[in-house]
């Protein structure tokens, strides 16, 4: 009955009680839509799939064989919550999520360079800094503050193109691509006009690169030519239409220009950012964005981004079209999660924990019907291609002798996996970050088909490797079972071990090569390439 009441509240927009656990809130909203549309749902995923999925999503690697065995055989009713809490507390959580946030914030240039922004994000996520605080720190970087060092790497690379800066700030933090309103009012969204684009640009146009640091001028004026009528002067205007009045919306005087140049030259010489102006338009943008009447853009965007990251499909799609003309699949749920996020001070770990402990997240990716549901119905788990870091680390672990982790304490496992992750980093840089509608590219296919690097890095048979251990294995069936369990994190299915053993039996004169071919077949399979 309580779930029914929850579903009704979410559908009607009624405020949900603060004590409702996030997983229950999520499941009630999703189930209500499934029932109203008579959508059959997939069963819950089995334990082997669930620990692989959760570990990959939270810390960027598959679970070790020992972790799998402990989870699958545990009879603890709270084992799933304990798994999630352990992973959230892991150093690997901050490290991997920082990699994903960098890719989210810096687009194609993110996720690979691992520079100052990655370091900042890793520290901030390890401390579980609130997202609104991280937003403020990235928009108002202070390189003299050790806790915020590296945050400027979000703004600084974009400062030479203010139009790009305006668009990417709006997309990254507010889920809105305002670039379509740059040359004319938005053709598909009645409420988006040129005033919105240039209003946002006015907050940012005064910012500049001051010798590798972020500076800001004391005044500034943005002009634009509308599709009809004379040239206009833009106001400081947020996406909601909130206008900030300021006497600094003007051209700089000659004295101000001279002073501005002196500050910029001094900053370049000292390699320290110039002091902020008395009135900072960029700081005002942050303040306005966090006002109660406007904060929904920031909160809904981060909810939608993380939902997409863990469920494989957003509540609003595309992710940069969070506006009134693009209705969410579950409006009440998005609103409730956004309000909960604000109410709990933008606690990202709380939000993630709620998502991954829901039954919506833990559904199987197998669906026993040809009438496959829409991804927006969340009736079956979406296949998510492994990110470069996930793939590189998974490949290293696939050819690691499981005995490596025998008897290890959890902190020692963490250290060993971090070493493996580091060893795979070079290879990961060669793999493209997956996007929606992912297809394996030609370069990746060729790399796995005939690349020497794959052979040398992931299919060697030296000490400590799975293939090295299998060289001493006399029983081909036992070898096949061990290989499948190590690579896929599950027991061999009926017929799999026999097929592999038969393959090895026909190559007794070159058994090591046979095992290498078998391992290659497993790590190039769809089951390995995707988080399912």
């Amino acid at each position: 009955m309580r779930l029914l009441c929850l579903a009704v509240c979410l559908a009607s927009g009624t405020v949900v009680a603060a004590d409702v656990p996030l997983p229950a809130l999520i499941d009630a909203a999703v189930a209500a839509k499934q029932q109203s549309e008579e959508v059959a749902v997939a069963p819950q995923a089995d334990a082997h799939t669930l620990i692989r999925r959760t570990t990959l999503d939270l810390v960027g690697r598959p679970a070790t064989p020992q972790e799998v065995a402990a989870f699958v055989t545990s009879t603890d009713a709270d084992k799933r919550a304990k798994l999630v809490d352990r992973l959230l507390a892991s150093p690997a959580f901050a490290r991997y999520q920082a990699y994903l946030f960098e890719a989210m914030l810096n687009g194609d240039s993110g996720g690979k360079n691992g520079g100052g922004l990655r370091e900042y994000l890793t520290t901030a996520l390890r401390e579980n800094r609130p997202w609104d605080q991280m937003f403020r720190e990235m928009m108002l970087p202070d390189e003299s503050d050790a806790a915020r060092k590296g945050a400027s790497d979000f703004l600084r690379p974009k400062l030479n193109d203010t139009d790009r800066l305006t668009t990417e700030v709006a997309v990254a933090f507010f889920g809105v691509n305002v670039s379509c309103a740059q040359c004319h009012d938005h053709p598909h969204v009645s409420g988006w006009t040129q005033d919105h684009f240039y209003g946002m640009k006015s907050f940012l146009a005064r910012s500049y690169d001051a010798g590798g640091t972020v500076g800001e001028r004391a005044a500034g004026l943005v002009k634009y030519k509308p599709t009809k009528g004379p040239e206009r002067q833009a106001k400081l205007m947020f996406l909601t239409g909130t206008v900030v009045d300021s006497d600094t919306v003007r051209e700089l005087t000659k004295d101000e220009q001279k002073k501005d140049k002196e500050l910029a030259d001094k900053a370049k010489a000292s390699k320290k950012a110039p002091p902020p102006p008395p009135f900072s338009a960029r700081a005002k943008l942050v303040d306005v964005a966090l006002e109660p009447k406007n904060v929904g853009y920031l909160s809904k965007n981060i909810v939608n981004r993380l939902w997409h990251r863990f469920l494989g499909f957003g509540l609003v799609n595309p992710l940069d079209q969070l506006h009134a003309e693009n209705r969410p699949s579950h409006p009440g749920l998005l609103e409730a999660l956004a309000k909960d996020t604000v109410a709990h001070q933008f606690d990202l770990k709380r939000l993630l924990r709620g998502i991954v402990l829901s039954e919506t997240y833990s559904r199987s990716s197998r669906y026993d019907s040809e009438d496959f549901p829409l991804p927006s119905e969340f009736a079956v788990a979406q296949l998510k291609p492994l990110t470069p870091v996930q793939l590189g680390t998974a490949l290293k672990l696939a050819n690691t002798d499981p005995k490596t982790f025998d008897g290890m304490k959890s902190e020692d496992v963490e250290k060993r996996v971090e070493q493996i992750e580091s060893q795979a980093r070079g290879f990961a840089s060669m793999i493209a970050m997956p996007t929606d509608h992912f297809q394996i590219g030609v370069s990746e296919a060729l790399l796995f088909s005939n690349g020497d690097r794959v052979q040398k890095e992931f299919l060697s048979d030296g000490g400590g490797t799975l293939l090295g251990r299998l060289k001493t294995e006399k029983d081909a069936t036992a070898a096949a079972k061990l290989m499948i369990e190590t690579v896929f994190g599950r027991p061999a299915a009926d017929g799999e071990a026999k097929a592999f053993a038969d393959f090895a039996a026909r190559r007794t004169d070159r058994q090591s090569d046979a095992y290498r071919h078998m391992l290659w077949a497993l790590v190039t399979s769809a089951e390995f390439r995707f988080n399912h």
Side-chain angles (χ1 to χ4, degrees):
M1 178 61 73
R2 191 182 191 202
L3 289 181
L4 176 60
C5 292
L6 255 181
V8 171
C9 288
L10 289 167
S12 65
T14 305
V15 176
V16 178
D19 64 341
V20 176
L22 286 187
L25 187 151
I26 289 168
D27 291 333
V30 173
K33 180 171 182 177
Q34 292 164 348
Q35 291 166 10
S36 68
E37 298 182 1
E38 299 182 344
V39 177
V41 299
Q44 291 290 289
D46 61 72
H48 290 92
T49 299
L50 189 55
I51 186 173
R52 180 181 188 267
R53 180 189 301 172
T54 307
T55 309
L56 276 168
D57 276 341
L58 288 176
V59 298
R61 64 167 175 88
T64 67
Q66 289 79 356
E67 290 171 327
V68 173
F71 182 78
V72 171
T73 59
S74 173
T75 58
D76 187 340
D78 293 327
K79 67 179 184 179
R80 186 174 164 196
K82 289 178 178 178
L83 166 68
V84 171
D85 289 338
R86 175 174 64 80
L87 295 175
L88 288 173
S90 162
F93 168 79
R95 196 167 60 244
Y96 181 60
Q97 297 304 318
Y99 160 79
L100 295 179
F101 269 102
E102 183 188 28
M104 180 189 98
L105 293 165
N106 276 352
D108 293 339
S109 63
K112 288 189 177 183
N113 58 40
L117 183 59
R118 178 90 62 85
E119 292 178 10
Y120 162 76
L121 290 167
T122 301
T123 300
L125 290 166
R126 184 172 60 245
E127 297 174 357
N128 198 29
R129 282 184 212 163
W131 179 242
D132 58 339
Q133 179 183 336
M134 293 169 67
F135 163 60
R136 182 179 291 277
E137 290 173 350
M138 284 184 277
M139 291 297 295
L140 305 172
D142 181 0
E143 290 292 280
S144 66
D145 183 349
R148 295 161 65 177
K149 192 170 180 62
S152 64
D153 278 6
F154 169 71
L155 284 177
R156 191 169 41 75
K158 309 173 181 69
L159 291 174
N160 291 328
D161 185 343
T162 311
D163 289 338
R164 174 196 169 199
L165 175 63
T166 302
T167 297
E168 294 196 16
V169 166
V171 168
F173 293 112
F174 309 127
V176 175
N177 190 333
V178 293
S179 63
C180 283
Q182 182 176 348
C183 301
H184 47 73
D185 292 349
H186 199 294
H188 304 301
V189 185
S190 58
W192 292 104
T193 67
Q194 285 180 285
D195 290 341
H196 289 86
F197 177 85
Y198 290 99
M200 289 293 290
K201 182 176 178 178
S202 294
F203 286 109
L204 300 164
R206 307 176 192 187
S207 301
Y208 64 96
D209 188 328
T213 63
V214 180
E216 185 175 359
R217 299 181 181 90
L221 182 63
V222 172
K223 300 178 181 179
Y224 66 98
K225 187 75 171 66
T227 51
K228 294 181 181 179
E231 183 180 70
R232 300 177 64 174
Q233 296 182 359
K235 301 176 181 178
L236 294 169
M237 189 176 82
F238 188 61
L239 297 166
T240 56
T242 298
V243 174
V244 176
D245 293 323
S246 171
D247 60 6
T248 66
V249 181
R250 56 176 173 75
E251 302 283 4
L252 287 168
T253 65
K254 288 185 178 180
D255 287 342
E256 286 173 330
Q257 291 177 21
K258 181 180 178 181
K259 183 177 181 180
D260 185 68
K261 185 177 185 306
E262 290 173 352
L263 289 173
D265 290 342
K266 185 177 180 180
K268 291 177 183 179
S270 65
K271 296 183 179 180
K272 293 182 180 180
F279 175 89
S280 167
R282 192 160 19 92
K284 198 62 183 177
L285 170 60
V286 173
D287 291 340
V288 170
L290 294 177
E291 289 178 0
K293 62 181 178 181
N294 299 324
V295 76
Y297 271 106
L298 185 71
S299 58
K300 288 180 182 178
N301 177 59
I302 194 60
V303 166
N304 194 47
R305 293 274 183 173
L306 295 182
W307 184 276
H308 177 274
R309 183 180 298 178
F310 286 82
L311 273 298
F313 197 78
L315 292 167
V316 174
N317 294 279
L319 298 179
D320 63 355
Q321 298 297 315
L322 192 64
H323 54 71
E325 305 288 335
N326 189 27
R327 186 174 171 80
S329 60
H330 299 70
L333 176 59
L334 178 60
E335 188 72 29
L337 290 176
K339 287 181 177 178
D340 181 89
T341 298
V342 174
H344 289 88
Q345 291 75 51
F346 284 89
D347 185 341
L348 296 185
K349 282 190 176 181
R350 172 187 162 81
L351 175 59
L352 291 182
R353 189 178 190 276
I355 291 173
V356 299
L357 286 178
S358 68
E359 291 186 2
T360 302
Y361 172 81
S362 56
R363 295 215 172 274
S364 172
S365 59
R366 296 180 180 274
Y367 197 75
D368 296 330
S369 172
E370 293 182 0
D371 188 16
F372 208 77
L374 295 172
S376 59
E377 292 166 332
F378 304 106
V380 60
Q382 299 297 305
L383 300 182
K384 294 176 293 191
L386 299 188
T387 64
V389 161
Q390 286 175 328
L391 180 59
T393 308
L395 285 165
K396 280 286 187 183
L397 285 170
N399 192 26
T400 298
D401 184 351
K403 287 184 177 180
T404 300
F405 302 102
D406 280 350
M408 273 193 181
K409 296 179 180 178
S410 59
E411 56 267 27
D412 294 327
V413 172
E414 290 285 352
K415 291 177 182 178
R416 178 65 182 123
V417 170
E418 185 174 1
Q419 291 172 355
I420 291 172
E421 178 187 312
S422 179
Q423 292 165 3
R425 193 170 296 150
F427 181 84
S429 67
M430 303 171 66
I431 304 297
M433 182 68 82
T435 58
D436 290 341
H437 314 297
F438 168 81
Q439 289 185 333
I440 291 175
V442 173
S443 59
E444 181 179 327
L446 291 174
L447 183 63
F448 278 90
S449 296
N450 53 23
D452 289 341
R453 188 161 186 169
V454 172
Q455 295 288 329
K456 293 176 181 177
E457 288 195 34
F458 307 117
L459 298 175
S460 64
D461 58 2
T465 66
L466 174 64
L467 289 176
R469 175 177 170 182
L470 293 180
K471 286 194 297 185
T472 64
E473 179 60 63
K474 305 298 184 182
D475 185 339
T477 301
K481 287 182 177 179
L482 177 60
M483 189 181 296
I484 291 167
E485 289 175 2
T486 302
V487 175
F488 289 152
R490 61 160 177 82
D494 292 344
E496 281 182 323
K498 183 179 185 304
F500 271 41
D502 290 346
F503 176 82
R506 295 193 298 270
R507 291 160 176 78
T508 53
D509 58 328
R510 44 196 175 98
Q511 196 114 63
S512 294
D513 286 339
Y515 288 145
R516 183 174 289 107
H517 286 309
M518 290 158 60
L519 180 58
W520 179 88
L522 292 178
V523 300
T524 57
S525 67
E527 182 174 353
F528 186 83
R529 186 62 179 85
F530 287 83
N531 187 358
H532 50 82

